[in-house]
Amino acid sequence: MPPNPFLSGVIEGFYGKPWTPGERRQLLGWLQRAGLNAYLHGPKDDLKHRALWRAPYTDEELAALREIIRDCDAHGITYIHALAPGLDIRFSDPADFDALLDKLEALAGLGVTTFALLFDDIPARLNAADQARFGTPAAAQAWLANEVLARLRTMIPFPRLLFCPTVYCGEMARPSVAEDPYLRELGAKLAPAIDVFWTGPHIVSETLPVDHLEEVAAVLGRAPVIWDNLHANDYDMRRLYLGPYAGRPPNLREHTAGVMINPNCQFAANFMAVHSLGRFLRRPELPIEENYRRTLEEWVETFEPAAGERMTFEELKDLADLLYLPGGFGEAARRFFADLETVRRQPPESWAGADGRLEEWAWQMEAVCDKRTKLADRGLAHALYAHVWELKEIGQFIGDWLAW
Ligand code: GDL
């Protein structure tokens, strides 16, 4: 069997409105350009992915899937189809197994060779019949995944199967990653060929320490595929993350079987996440600030105005520095907050230019807001809308307050 290639790319795996076919097509162009190789289709709110996982796809849905699969092929991207039966599957009911298999078979018929079974965010207990037959969720899930892989092998020559466990990050493990009974049993029972997703020490992990990854690999008996929620914002839609892929060790590749990001719900806001991941994997030693600057330079090039002037690099950077990453802000934003603190807490004679810089910032946000309105790419304009509008309002408020 050929070795599984290192997976890198994007998981559409967030809660909320799934992306449109057009957005997915644009994503494939980004992935190809960024040197990434995989797209996983698993939107939590796609009914037939999770809540109604048993329901077969209609002809129309299959036609739409055929198209995205064809587009993936054309871009050299591996299409991964995920199903999440964990909310209510009865492992011991042959009808449920058949329903799952029928669905996978329909997808194999469209040319899909890589699949994922996701058991995240589900109740960690079994019904009475499953309890009697399997004893534990780990045993039931491992049995199902192993059976699915065996059956896929009868349908296609070299299928690949990925698996998302119910305990998928360090903070969910009890009493520790190494000693968690669920993870230990899964590691022992899951067929070695099956890849396992892992989000890091936390659901949203600011860092992925090597010793943590080693502990995970030891308990699972394989290096994990990272499901990276660094840029995910479905848990707090007031936020948006435009910062670079950061906080990962340069040798991440040596400790994992893949890295896939599950980013912002607003598709068009993910240029930075996708392209900075690509740059990180191509050049892991490049300082983050450099990765960030170069990726922003590429992004601002795509801000084609339908009318008026182009967004400048500085304007976009001021915006992205504020809407940066879950764990912190970019450099211009940190300066902005420091100036704000100065004018709030110090008497005017010690402001040392802070008021002027804040006024400049407010104008900048006004310009960003105006240029966003006139962007040719309406998807991008709408993805940034709420956040840019709010920043402009804050700018106006600061201006009024300073005048007062
Ligand atoms: C999760 C969910 C994911 C969600 C993310 C961020 C995994 C494996 N599952 O726990 O669907 O988008 O958090 O909220 O990460």
Side-chain angles (χ1 to χ4, degrees):
M1 222 172 290
N4 281 333
F6 185 87
L7 285 175
S8 60
V10 166
I11 297 174
E12 185 180 341
F14 45 79
Y15 294 88
K17 188 169 172 284
W19 292 334
T20 65
E23 288 171 336
R24 291 176 187 140
R25 228 171 291 125
Q26 193 179 350
L27 172 68
L28 298 179
W30 286 0
L31 291 172
Q32 187 177 35
R33 185 171 150 192
L36 303 171
N37 65 18
Y39 160 70
L40 183 146
H41 180 87
K44 285 274 190 298
D45 283 313
D46 168 345
L47 284 174
K48 290 189 178 176
H49 163 66
R50 199 160 118 105
L52 303 181
W53 63 269
R54 293 178 186 83
Y57 291 114
T58 61
D59 288 345
E60 206 180 314
E61 287 162 346
L62 286 174
L65 287 168
R66 187 176 290 118
E67 231 166 87
I68 171 93
I69 293 160
R70 199 201 49 208
D71 287 346
C72 277
D73 278 349
H75 285 86
I77 304 296
T78 298
Y79 175 86
I80 307 173
H81 197 92
L83 290 176
L87 286 174
D88 61 359
I89 189 171
R90 298 165 302 237
F91 292 92
S92 48
D93 182 347
D96 268 5
F97 184 75
D98 289 348
L100 186 64
L101 220 62
D102 285 351
K103 220 149 152 180
L104 297 175
E105 198 161 13
L107 289 153
L110 299 182
V112 180
T113 59
T114 309
F115 298 87
L117 290 177
L118 309 183
F119 288 96
D120 54 323
D121 298 359
I122 56 162
R125 52 192 139 67
L126 297 174
N127 65 35
D130 292 342
Q131 176 75 36
R133 172 157 168 204
F134 296 102
T136 62
Q141 293 172 4
W143 169 83
L144 184 77
N146 294 345
E147 278 303 299
V148 162
L149 181 61
R151 297 294 281 273
L152 286 173
R153 283 183 173 146
T154 67
M155 296 176 207
I156 32 187
F158 300 113
R160 183 168 184 181
L161 183 63
L162 292 107
F163 177 95
C164 183
T166 306
V167 174
Y168 53 85
C169 60
E171 68 181 308
M172 293 179 180
R174 298 282 182 278
S176 65
V177 168
E179 292 163 290
D180 183 278
Y182 168 88
L183 292 174
R184 290 171 70 109
E185 190 174 5
L186 200 66
K189 292 189 173 160
L190 203 61
I194 299 175
D195 287 295
V196 180
F197 278 120
W198 189 259
T199 66
H202 304 282
I203 298 174
V204 178
S205 298
E206 278 175 42
T207 60
L208 292 177
V210 165
D211 56 349
H212 171 79
L213 296 173
E214 281 171 351
E215 192 184 6
V216 173
V219 71
L220 293 175
R222 71 211 76 200
V225 173
I226 298 302
W227 170 310
D228 207 321
N229 288 321
L230 186 66
H231 291 83
N233 69 343
D234 55 356
Y235 57 88
D236 183 356
M237 290 291 284
R238 290 165 304 175
R239 307 193 68 173
L240 194 71
Y241 298 115
L242 308 181
Y245 189 71
R248 279 68 187 120
N251 58 352
L252 182 61
R253 217 179 239 276
E254 290 156 34
H255 296 277
T256 57
V259 182
M260 299 194 67
I261 54 169
N262 174 43
N264 294 290
C265 297
Q266 297 89 330
F267 167 75
N270 290 316
F271 187 100
M272 292 301 294
V274 172
H275 291 82
S276 64
L277 169 67
R279 183 160 276 120
F280 169 79
L281 289 173
R282 290 195 306 276
R283 297 197 50 195
E285 304 294 344
L286 194 69
I288 296 303
E289 304 71 43
E290 196 54 21
N291 183 338
Y292 180 49
R293 190 182 59 77
R294 291 189 195 185
T295 311
L296 262 178
E297 278 169 1
E298 276 177 41
W299 194 27
V300 78
E301 286 294 304
T302 71
F303 279 59
E304 218 48 69
E309 285 176 33
R310 224 171 212 295
M311 183 101 66
T312 65
F313 174 85
E314 286 69 29
E315 286 163 346
L316 186 58
K317 181 166 180 300
D318 272 4
L319 181 68
D321 275 2
L322 275 158
L323 308 174
Y324 198 70
L325 289 172
F329 296 98
E331 157 261 329
R334 291 196 298 272
R335 213 178 331 118
F336 164 76
F337 290 122
D339 283 342
L340 209 52
E341 280 304 284
T342 302
V343 299
R344 276 183 63 217
R345 295 187 190 286
Q346 308 291 332
E349 51 278 17
S350 18
W351 283 0
D355 51 336
R357 284 193 296 275
L358 287 171
E359 268 165 0
E360 209 168 294
W361 179 88
W363 294 327
Q364 187 101 306
M365 282 306 134
E366 192 126 0
V368 168
C369 193
D370 181 55
K371 292 177 182 179
R372 181 215 61 85
T373 312
K374 296 174 185 155
L375 281 175
D377 179 344
R378 303 314 292 160
L380 180 57
H382 296 142
L384 301 178
Y385 171 76
H387 297 84
V388 169
W389 186 270
E390 193 177 3
L391 289 168
K392 181 197 74 165
E393 297 270 296
I394 291 171
Q396 280 171 353
F397 176 78
I398 292 173
D400 289 350
W401 186 79
L402 285 172
W404 169 77

